[in-house]
Amino acid sequence: MGRLQDKVAVITGASSGIGGKTMELFGREGAKVVGTARNEAKLNEHLEVVTSAGGEGIVVPADLEDDSSPDRVVAAALDAYGTIDILVNNAGVGWQYGIDNPGTMAGVHEASVENWRAIIGGVDLEGYFTMIHAVLPKMLEAGRGSIVNMSSMAGITGLYDAHAYTAAKGAILNLGRSMAITYCKQGVRTNTICPGFIDTPMIAPVVGAFDDPAVASALCPMGRPGQPEEIANAALFLASDEASYVNGAMLVVDGGCTARSFPG
Ligand code: NAP
């Protein structure tokens, strides 16, 4: 307890999955949490977990595809708490979005330029840049900050068909590395998490494949998907002062998926 005592943490995608559990964990660890996403009711469910355990936070409903949202989120955080110590840049869309928006998770030959822009120019990549762009000046002014970007194992390996998503996740990694070396002397660390299969609504269309033990061990050496809490724990470490010399790192949390050359 208290690993983020009195720090102010902005968490995007806090209405669901990894972001929701990150908000809950950070709140338990003493952070004042500022959760943002579009779904206000679901944001409030996660905030309720924080406040009912004695923690503190606010929610800011916002669509990160709207250019005015990042500044509005930052202004709300500053209004409430006066500073921002941590940004967990986590909001994103994937498989479920691809079903709802055909072509966006498709291969190059099946995707339109509009499909590509929906991912690269949408929440999956541009949304990361715009949140950093809004938060960073405050961190530089304060001379401290920790930014944790959520990439994916699909940022370090290819993913069949989902070329725009894979390109976005790879770009997030190198955005993090160049930020890390640029801003560390001004007190701002940047690190990246690469989750494997995590049991959240994003991969609801495919996570059922783990029910078959043979398929499960082909998908992941540990034979199971990760839980969002297991990614929140990684974010907690990177965000905290325990990671004071961790900068520009890529923390892979994937049950060993990317550690092997072929299924055993
Ligand atoms: P999730 O449960 O579907 O959550 C995604 C979050 O992003 C939701 O809170 C959603 O909130 C928010 N979001 C989506 N579009 C948004 C928009 N336009 N504006 C603001 N917020 C938006 O998915 P998750 O698995 O927790 O994913 C979190 C991150 O982990 C993503 O970046 C994802 O790529 C990454 N990741 C996930 C996995 C996995 O297997 N689950 C693996 C590797 C990486 P609203 O709908 O309320 O806006």
Side-chain angles (χ1 to χ4, degrees), residues 171-195:
I172 286 167
L173 263 170
N174 253 9
L175 171 64
R177 291 185 180 112
S178 62
M179 285 187 54
I181 59 172
T182 303
Y183 298 114
C184 61
K185 287 202 178 72
Q186 290 155 279
V188 179
R189 295 182 296 108
T190 306
N191 291 291
T192 307
I193 299 175
C194 295

Side-chain angles (χ1 to χ4, degrees), residues 13-19 37-39 62-65 90-93 123 128 150-152 165 169 195-198 200-203:
S15 63
S16 177
I18 293 167
R38 292 165 299 185
N39 189 320
D63 182 347
L64 286 179
E65 294 195 12
N90 162 80
V93 292
V123 66
Y128 279 59
M150 206 58 69
S151 175
S152 168
Y165 180 85
K169 292 303 186 184
F197 295 100
I198 308 301
T200 71
M202 176 176 282
I203 66 160

Side-chain angles (χ1 to χ4, degrees), residues 68-139:
S68 66
S69 291
D71 284 341
R72 195 161 57 73
V73 173
V74 167
L78 295 177
D79 268 2
Y81 301 119
T83 192
I84 297 172
D85 301 292
I86 296 162
L87 168 64
V88 181
N89 227 353
N90 162 80
V93 292
W95 269 287
Q96 187 58 54
Y97 182 82
I99 290 169
D100 299 339
N101 300 271
T104 53
M105 290 292 276
V108 171
H109 72 291
E110 294 159 326
S112 65
V113 174
E114 288 71 30
N115 294 149
W116 168 266
R117 285 192 186 129
I119 299 295
I120 300 295
V123 66
D124 276 0
L125 183 55
E126 196 164 299
Y128 279 59
F129 171 80
T130 55
M131 276 307 299
I132 292 165
H133 193 260
V135 167
L136 190 60
K138 204 68 201 168
M139 288 184 170

Side-chain angles (χ1 to χ4, degrees), residues 1 4 6 14 24 88 141 160 164 195 204 222 233 239 241-242 249 255:
M1 298 286 277
L4 299 178
D6 297 328
E24 293 176 14
V88 181
E141 190 186 308
Y160 289 102
M222 289 183 74
N233 282 327
D241 293 339
E242 293 160 28

Side-chain angles (χ1 to χ4, degrees), residues 5 28 59 119 174 208 210 252:
Q5 199 60 49
R28 274 205 304 283
V59 300
I119 299 295
N174 253 9
F210 278 93
V252 178

